[in-house]
Amino acid sequence: MSETDPAALGGQPFANETGGEQLLATGVLKEFCGFLMNRPSYLVGYLIVALVALSGLVAPLLPLASPVDADAGAYLVPPSWAHPMGTDSAGLDVFSRVLFAPRVDLAIALVSTCWAACFGSVAGAFVGLWEERGGIKSGAATLILRMADVIQAFPVFALALVLVAVLGQGMTSIIIAIGIVNLPLYLRLMRGEVLRIRDQSYVEAAHIAGAGDIYLLTRHIVPNAAPPLLAQMSINTGVAVLLAAGLSFIGAGVRAPTPEWGSMIAMGFQNVVTGQWWPSMFPGLALALTVFGLGRIGASILAWTNPRERSRPTRRAWKAFSEGRN
Amino acid sequence: MQNTANGTIPLSRRTLLKYGAAASAFTFAPGFVNASFGQDRSKTLVIAAPATPLSLDVENSLSPGTIDTVAAFYDYLIGFGTIPDTVDGVMREDLEPRPDLPGGYNLKGMLAESWAFAEDGKSVVFTLRQGVLSNWGNELTAEDVKYTFDRKFEVKGAGAFMTSVMGLPDKDAVKVESKYVVSFTLKDPNPILMIVCGHLANPIFDSTKCKEMATTDDPWARNFLDTNVAGFGPYALKDITRGQQMVATARSDYYGEKPYFETVVFREVPISATRLQLLQGGAVDIAQNLAPTEMKSLENSTDATVTSIEASQMLWIELNTAFAPLDNIKVRQALNYAMPKDEVVKTIMQGFGKKMTTFMPDFYPGATAEFYDYDYDIDKAKALLAEAGHADGFTSTLAYNAGIPFEETIAIMYQTALKKIGVTIELKKLPAGTFFDSLVKRSEPMTFNLDAPFTPDPGFSLNLYFHSGSFLDFSNYKNEEVDALIKTSLSTLVEEDRFAATTAAQKIINEEAPWTLIANPGFQLAHGKDIGGIVYYTSNRLNFQDYKRV
């Protein structure tokens, strides 16, 4: 580390050497795994999401019926060996479509969340840093915040519908729409974190030493603001899955017959009242489980980043401790 | 123990749910209608429909809600006589041509008491009933008929098309001869003038009330007639709240037979499953537009049933000839052979309706299926594509209406069938408004269409969809020979010549296949078993005044 490196003055909490980072990362990963193993209610979320992702990945390799080709003779067939989850009103195999759907649903959710998080947090970081600087920077920060207010003032679905109507139906439009809807969340979250961190002594020290805005953000502020952002991202991915499914349900989602849980529910819900529950029930269950799993992942990250929660003994540890004392 | 000493109801989640459920049940209970309107339930007809009328003025809209309600408020100059349908207890219009009768059909006078044609067929004189009052108490005169047709020329809505098919050149063509006599003078003889007079879009307005409601900015009372009525029909409008309900009451001063139902409640219930449940529970008497599986589920119902009648509705795909390779006749024929029509009717439509074999309703006079040869045949479709130079297939787009759920399932089935001949189609689901916009603008290569020619005449039907100058020629079909044949059929009074022309036109249209034929869905009325008096009209509408409790 050179003497002119402002980080030397700042007391940065993360190691800087590459090897040290690797060691630290391995240690953190190990500790996190242990944390999860001791908390099955969080672990189950990872297992569900892994299973759903895996089903999307291996579905094309399995000997399944085509998820997009209709069998005209198999109209609303109830679950059977030939069709484990039955068929829908177009003669499409529900089981095959439920397994293929994560390829679309998770892709939409992950990409839209990632781009919203990237742009939202970058904007939020600058807004937080510039807010009280005065001049053009302060004006720009206020303008960005007001724009976020405008986006947030619209009902989420109305905004998403307008965007899909303007951009046209398709995956790209949905990704952009959901991203824009979520962008202000990350902006505000990052701004809040920056406001908290920017007054820390190590940041002030770096600033006094002549560090520029970008250097301050990338080396000191963003790395320390990341954990709540990651937690928000995993929760938001679940919300994005729901939003994508909701858009498909109202006809503004992916094009038929693309396997996607929301459109499957929309196509099948009319049959529920006449007793054909399977075309919408199975995708509904898959959707609910996935959102639940993503929610548990988000909760686990929040718990992990909270020192009190992280160090709280698990029920198993309490039991072992009590038995040891007796 | 909860404290209720101060007389207030303690609000908890449980009580909220309890009272909420009770309120919901009360809303849909049969007794609710009585309580709301102070009417005898047996004399009140309650209809659950997907939507209330967009407008009550036929010049503004022919939305499904408008079609179902306008004939209750307005009467027409003439209408078809009725005969028993093949379905027990159902009547239908008598469409059989009767050259021996004035007007060429079994017509009954409504507002017109009698009518007489000139020898050359270029003019007709209507004598109106006397003492007929509108819902505003104004007496019907020849001025009302004149006003109605003047309004069509001026407003230039649906009426502009009507005056054109009736062959009325201008406003002077309709002349007041005396207080109760009005004449129509045509440029050429018109064999369908009389039956077009009975078209749903040609009601007679109360000119006195309309003139009273006109303003400088709105000289033809469009705003007033959009949300109110001024007609000579059996019902008066009591109330309309768009998106909720419309209430009509029977008029005691109506000149004709008084309707059985004194009150009609036309309630908007957008979800078909809810409409079904309301019908099963007896809260409504008629549930409109149920899905085929929902109608099928009523087979074992003790309280409700479905009356399924052969109807003028047609379901097809417009093959827009302005887009390559749909400009190739062989490609269009191949697309017809690839449509699994029998499967669609058997599965998606649950056996309601039948496969479509003609390019107009097949029970209309002059309709013929003798040239039809488009049963599902993938090998033939492949061969035709190869002959057209598209052995490897092609890519196109099929647009469908998000408001009609079965169009999506048919589209998916068709997409799978087309893959077998190498044709890839992308499905484009459009909200109802956008869908109709794209249909009118003819902006998509392939588009679903569900429609019916209301006037039961082959010349009228072919003119509507296949004449190159028609605004409903959504497939951009153009064949000069067909145009000429249609013109012949609409300008000669000799029945044999007319039908010879329409048969020749059907042969060409069948050969050139501007549509992919799918099905005739029929007219299905889901109703309580105590509802009778059903009459089928080619406009596929409800007619409140026909119904009675049996």
Side-chain angles (χ1 to χ4, degrees):
Chain A
M1 193 180 293
S2 72
E3 282 179 12
T4 53
D5 187 350
L9 304 166
Q12 194 179 345
F14 289 109
N16 286 336
E17 300 296 332
T18 315
E21 277 176 357
Q22 271 176 355
L23 271 177
L24 189 61
T26 313
V28 168
L29 191 65
K30 223 176 197 174
E31 197 183 335
F32 187 67
C33 288
F35 170 79
L36 285 182
M37 295 307 282
N38 285 324
R39 287 165 180 79
S41 70
Y42 293 144
L43 183 64
V44 75
Y46 287 85
L47 293 177
I48 288 170
V49 173
L51 195 69
V52 169
L54 189 71
S55 83
L57 284 173
V58 303
L61 308 173
L62 300 175
L64 298 169
S66 164
V68 291
D69 290 336
D71 177 356
Y75 176 81
L76 284 174
V77 175
S80 62
W81 285 112
H83 301 285
M85 292 183 183
T87 62
D88 66 13
S89 55
L92 297 165
D93 183 74
V94 177
F95 180 61
S96 167
R97 288 169 65 74
V98 165
L99 291 190
F100 270 88
R103 299 171 75 85
V104 173
D105 279 296
L106 287 186
I108 290 174
L110 288 171
V111 177
S112 63
T113 304
C114 284
W115 91 254
C118 286
F119 285 90
S121 52
V122 167
F126 281 105
V127 167
L129 203 63
W130 289 348
E131 216 173 314
E132 288 173 12
R133 291 272 178 90
I136 293 176
K137 285 183 177 178
S138 188
T142 309
L143 184 70
I144 292 171
L145 271 177
R146 294 295 82 81
M147 282 165 66
D149 287 344
V150 171
I151 293 175
Q152 282 190 302
F154 284 102
V156 172
F157 258 90
L159 183 62
L161 266 176
V162 170
L163 289 168
V164 169
V166 171
L167 302 169
Q169 201 181 3
M171 249 174 97
T172 314
S173 303
I174 301 172
I175 287 169
I176 293 170
I178 295 175
I180 289 176
V181 165
N182 286 331
L183 203 136
L185 297 178
Y186 295 100
L187 190 150
R188 294 197 175 281
L189 184 72
M190 181 55 92
R191 173 181 166 268
E193 288 298 307
V194 172
L195 291 179
R196 181 178 65 80
I197 296 168
R198 73 176 184 193
D199 294 333
Q200 300 284 318
S201 54
Y202 63 89
V203 179
E204 283 181 352
H207 185 50
I208 290 162
D213 287 347
I214 292 175
Y215 187 89
L216 279 178
L217 286 172
T218 53
R219 297 290 290 185
H220 297 291
I221 297 177
V222 172
N224 290 302
L229 205 75
L230 287 174
Q232 181 63 40
M233 278 177 74
S234 57
I235 293 168
N236 221 232
T237 307
V239 176
V241 171
L242 275 181
L243 202 54
L247 282 172
S248 293
F249 185 81
I250 56 173
V254 295
R255 290 192 173 183
T258 309
E260 194 279 326
W261 292 323
S263 62
M264 290 174 73
I265 296 168
M267 207 164 150
F269 93 99
Q270 283 215 323
N271 302 114
V272 175
V273 75
T274 50
Q276 294 91 17
W277 48 269
W278 53 90
S280 57
M281 178 71 90
F282 290 114
L285 277 175
L287 179 65
L289 271 175
T290 308
V291 175
F292 170 76
L294 288 163
R296 295 315 297 162
I297 292 176
S300 75
I301 296 172
L302 275 179
W304 169 255
T305 54
N306 181 343
R308 185 179 291 175
E309 181 69 24
R310 191 159 141 190
S311 58
R312 201 176 67 187
T314 60
R315 195 176 291 173
R316 198 192 302 169
W318 267 115
K319 201 175 165 190
F321 176 71
S322 307
E323 282 169 358
R325 273 205 343 188
N326 293 337
Chain B
M1 199 176 198
Q2 290 167 318
N3 179 15
T4 56
N6 61 2
T8 58
I9 299 167
L11 192 64
S12 65
R13 191 171 54 182
R14 184 182 291 259
T15 50
L16 194 67
L17 285 173
K18 198 165 72 181
Y19 290 115
S24 309
F26 178 72
T27 305
F28 289 116
F32 176 68
V33 177
N34 303 347
S36 299
F37 304 103
Q39 296 286 335
D40 177 4
R41 175 68 176 95
S42 69
K43 292 285 188 176
T44 301
L45 179 71
V46 186
I47 298 160
T52 44
L54 280 180
S55 170
L56 291 171
D57 184 357
V58 289
E59 297 296 334
N60 287 351
S61 160
L62 273 178
S63 70
T66 312
I67 289 171
D68 281 332
T69 55
V70 74
F73 304 119
Y74 293 93
D75 264 2
Y76 298 76
L77 286 173
I78 52 107
F80 276 100
T82 54
I83 52 169
D85 189 74
T86 49
V87 177
D88 270 353
V90 175
M91 301 291 284
R92 66 184 302 127
E93 292 165 311
D94 181 5
L95 307 180
E96 195 62 37
R98 297 280 298 276
D100 53 313
L101 296 176
Y105 289 88
N106 171 18
L107 301 173
K108 62 170 184 183
M110 292 178 82
L111 296 177
E113 202 170 46
S114 62
W115 50 93
F117 273 88
E119 282 285 312
D120 61 0
K122 286 187 178 180
S123 73
V124 59
V125 176
F126 291 98
T127 304
L128 304 178
R129 276 177 207 280
Q130 297 185 23
V132 174
L133 299 179
S134 77
N135 60 312
W136 297 101
N138 301 313
E139 196 198 359
L140 170 76
T141 67
E143 288 293 343
D144 295 314
V145 180
K146 170 75 177 154
Y147 174 86
T148 298
F149 283 88
D150 283 356
R151 190 172 186 268
K152 286 182 193 298
F153 280 105
E154 289 294 332
V155 168
K156 295 186 174 69
F161 172 73
M162 285 298 150
T163 51
S164 130
V165 282
M166 288 168 87
L168 300 172
D170 51 41
K171 286 202 281 187
D172 295 337
V174 180
K175 196 172 160 196
V176 174
E177 302 290 347
S178 68
K179 188 176 181 188
Y180 299 111
V181 178
V182 61
S183 67
F184 288 28
T185 305
L186 316 176
K187 230 162 65 181
D188 299 303
N190 187 336
I192 63 169
L193 172 72
M194 289 303 285
I195 55 175
V196 177
C197 280
H199 190 286
L200 185 78
N202 287 325
I204 303 300
F205 292 104
D206 168 3
S207 61
T208 311
K209 183 66 185 173
C210 291
K211 285 174 185 169
E212 185 189 321
M213 300 311 292
T215 62
T216 317
D217 294 337
D218 181 20
W220 295 96
R222 294 189 78 168
N223 294 334
F224 172 71
L225 291 173
D226 199 37
T227 53
N228 219 314
V229 296
F232 299 92
Y235 283 91
L237 178 70
K238 183 176 180 183
D239 172 56
I240 180 167
T241 309
R242 288 207 185 100
Q244 293 180 24
Q245 66 176 20
M246 186 205 76
V247 182
T249 49
R251 288 176 50 208
S252 56
D253 57 351
Y254 179 58
Y255 70 93
E257 191 185 342
K258 198 164 179 272
Y260 176 89
F261 286 107
E262 289 166 2
T263 306
V264 178
V265 180
F266 192 83
R267 182 172 288 179
E268 179 163 325
V269 183
I271 297 172
S272 69
T274 313
R275 294 197 293 275
L276 173 69
Q277 285 171 327
L278 291 173
L279 178 64
Q280 285 172 323
V284 303
D285 298 302
I286 291 173
Q288 288 269 76
N289 295 62
L290 296 185
T293 46
E294 291 166 344
M295 290 191 288
K296 199 77 178 169
S297 74
L298 289 174
E299 271 180 354
N300 301 320
S301 170
T302 50
D303 303 317
T305 187
V306 175
T307 299
S308 183
I309 309 162
E310 184 180 42
S312 59
Q313 286 274 52
M314 302 181 288
L315 177 66
W316 72 94
I317 293 171
E318 302 276 0
L319 303 175
N320 193 336
T321 57
F323 286 84
L326 303 179
D327 53 351
N328 187 314
I329 292 172
K330 288 190 190 302
V331 168
R332 298 201 298 267
Q333 288 175 337
L335 294 178
N336 261 285
Y337 282 113
M339 171 58 78
K341 303 175 192 67
D342 288 313
E343 290 295 344
V344 167
V345 172
K346 192 175 140 198
T347 60
I348 295 169
M349 303 183 81
Q350 292 285 288
F352 291 107
K354 60 187 178 186
K355 78 176 170 191
M356 197 173 160
T357 56
T358 51
F359 286 80
M360 69 172 84
D362 61 354
F363 61 91
Y364 277 12
T368 175
E370 67 172 296
F371 311 114
Y372 170 81
D373 180 35
Y374 289 122
D375 279 343
Y376 182 64
D377 190 335
I378 286 296
D379 294 332
K380 220 167 185 173
K382 273 184 188 164
L384 281 164
L385 271 191
E387 281 176 41
H390 292 280
D392 296 330
F394 60 90
T395 302
S396 193
T397 306
L398 170 60
Y400 60 97
N401 185 346
I404 304 175
F406 64 72
E407 284 192 0
E408 179 167 275
T409 44
I410 295 172
I412 293 170
M413 213 177 252
Y414 192 38
Q415 186 189 46
T416 305
L418 288 178
K419 272 185 197 170
K420 293 176 188 162
I421 59 170
V423 175
T424 305
I425 54 167
E426 191 178 53
L427 304 184
K428 204 168 179 181
K429 186 179 194 172
L430 300 173
T434 318
F435 173 82
F436 286 114
D437 191 46
S438 82
L439 192 65
V440 171
K441 287 182 179 159
R442 308 172 192 186
S443 57
E444 298 291 341
M446 298 163 78
T447 316
F448 267 86
N449 203 349
L450 177 66
D451 198 10
F454 291 175
T455 298
D457 179 81
F460 180 92
S461 305
L462 297 177
N463 183 53
L464 206 57
Y465 302 116
F466 302 109
H467 191 283
S468 59
S470 168
F471 72 99
L472 291 181
D473 176 25
F474 297 138
S475 54
N476 276 314
Y477 177 66
K478 188 171 182 178
N479 182 311
E480 282 169 10
E481 195 182 345
V482 169
D483 286 354
L485 287 165
I486 290 171
K487 193 178 173 196
T488 303
S489 82
L490 291 175
S491 57
T492 173
L493 296 176
V494 182
E495 192 185 293
E496 292 77 32
D497 295 347
R498 293 185 59 222
F499 288 174
T502 53
T503 302
Q506 285 177 84
K507 186 176 182 211
I508 297 168
I509 293 164
N510 196 82
E511 174 79 17
E512 301 194 337
W515 295 356
T516 290
L517 302 176
I518 305 177
N520 296 109
F523 179 77
Q524 284 86 33
L525 194 67
H527 58 91
K529 281 189 171 166
D530 61 342
I531 296 295
I534 297 165
V535 181
Y536 171 70
Y537 298 90
T538 51
S539 51
N540 302 298
R541 67 173 194 260
L542 299 180
N543 215 44
F544 310 153
Q545 53 267 46
D546 293 334
Y547 306 140
K548 57 186 79 157
R549 226 172 268 288
V550 290

